[in-house]
Amino acid sequence: MCDVCVMNAVKEKMLSRRQFFRTGAAAGVAAAVGTVASAPPALAAGHSEVVDMTHVYDKDFPTYFGAPGISQEQKFNFKEHGFNLFELTINEHTGTHIDAPLHFSADGNSVDEIPVSDLVVPLCVIHIHEKAANNPDAQVTPDDIKAWISKNGPIPDRACVAMHSGWEKHIGSDKFRGADADGVMHFPGFHIEATQMLMEESGAVAMGVDTLSLDYGKSKDFVTHYAWLPSGRYGIENMRNLAKVPAAGATLVVGAPAHRGGSGGPARIIALV
């Protein structure tokens, strides 16, 4: 039997089985509760909304070094082979992604070694979009953290503290990287003093930004990276929709990649509000 014939036969059987189980499952649910659930099970713990914090990215998505961060080649297509399959080549630090401790240390945890207990965490959003609107070199400072605490209370243990600078609106333009004539980039990030404050005075395990780097664009020494990541904490870069979640109270679910020995990687990140 030819390959295509085999694939078609398998598809027919799978479709038949899928319809059987779909019908059976629907009947089971209807019998048990009498109606379709209005919210996914993940929301049963008191959350009412799921917010996607992840950018869809392709070869045109901005990267720190300017070169495309992903390429894909279709190896199989549905018309000829009965299924689609792409081969991907990806820079670990592309799109919405994680910086593992290993990214800026000789022997820190790789992305697959980040404890799962650190991947479902309270989300704290610090808004600096107003000052960033007039200053692309704006940074999260200790005063910004103090103001957040004054309004929302102590930073929860094992939290992700994220900067909302409003920078995602520049994704489709050169301003997202903000490179000037000398190649120096300009976008917001965390000041080293704010980073040290979080390390010394909170139990935060993650830091997030809606820009290309935890450090602001002008940085040449990556002091925030070198302080935060070797301490065993991790970072998230290129987050989106931080304006759509509350400053406090949401839960962040970080879909970290698990390739062995990785320094980071693209991640699907959602917030439960």
Side-chain angles (χ1 to χ4, degrees):
M1 185 180 290
C2 67
D3 291 344
V4 173
C5 294
V6 171
M7 289 300 301
N8 286 336
V10 170
K11 282 192 293 181
E12 289 177 4
K13 290 182 180 179
M14 290 302 294
L15 288 171
S16 177
R17 286 169 57 84
R18 186 179 303 162
Q19 185 60 38
F20 170 79
F21 285 115
R22 182 180 298 157
T23 303
V29 170
V33 300
T35 185
V36 177
S38 60
L43 303 185
H47 300 287
S48 61
E49 184 181 2
V50 178
V51 180
D52 193 351
M53 314 300 287
T54 315
H55 285 286
V56 175
Y57 68 101
D58 56 21
K59 62 181 179 60
D60 296 319
F61 192 91
T63 62
Y64 188 87
F65 295 106
I70 181 173
S71 64
Q72 61 185 56
E73 179 183 355
Q74 187 160 13
K75 294 293 187 177
F76 297 91
N77 64 77
F78 194 85
K79 182 178 181 180
E80 295 181 69
H81 309 104
F83 64 99
N84 292 306
L85 186 149
F86 294 84
E87 185 174 280
L88 303 179
T89 301
I90 303 175
N91 179 315
E92 288 180 312
H93 300 273
T94 297
T96 303
H97 68 273
I98 289 177
D99 282 5
L102 182 63
H103 186 37
F104 270 72
S105 62
D107 55 2
N109 280 354
S110 55
V111 70
D112 57 299
E113 295 173 327
I114 296 175
V116 293
S117 58
D118 290 348
L119 299 177
V120 182
V121 295
L123 175 61
C124 306
V125 182
I126 296 179
H127 296 281
I128 67 164
H129 57 287
E130 291 183 355
K131 65 180 179 180
N134 299 313
N135 177 17
D137 298 322
Q139 298 181 76
V140 176
T141 67
D143 285 342
D144 294 315
I145 297 174
K146 292 175 183 177
W148 188 97
I149 293 173
S150 176
K151 184 175 182 179
N152 300 286
I155 293 172
D157 191 37
R158 314 200 76 74
C160 172
V161 180
M163 172 194 77
H164 169 236
S165 70
W167 223 245
E168 70 174 86
K169 66 185 177 184
H170 302 307
I171 284 284
S173 72
D174 292 338
K175 190 170 182 177
F176 192 72
R177 295 182 74 248
D180 61 24
D182 296 320
V184 177
M185 290 184 285
H186 299 271
F187 53 75
F190 274 84
H191 193 282
I192 182 57
E193 292 179 0
T195 303
Q196 291 168 335
M197 180 178 177
L198 289 175
M199 293 172 62
E200 296 169 2
E201 301 181 23
S202 82
V205 297
M207 174 185 291
V209 295
D210 55 0
T211 59
L212 285 166
S213 175
L214 304 180
D215 287 276
Y216 79 143
K218 286 179 63 177
S219 176
K220 295 181 180 180
D221 50 14
F222 301 102
V223 286
T224 288
H225 277 85
Y226 277 116
W228 188 257
L229 298 179
S231 71
R233 299 167 174 87
Y234 68 93
I236 308 171
E237 295 171 339
N238 296 323
M239 297 180 74
R240 68 186 286 251
N241 285 334
L242 285 166
K244 296 183 179 181
V245 296
T251 297
L252 198 68
V253 181
V254 182
H259 55 295
R260 193 180 304 279
S263 72
R268 189 63 181 265
I269 299 174
I270 63 173
L272 305 179
V273 179

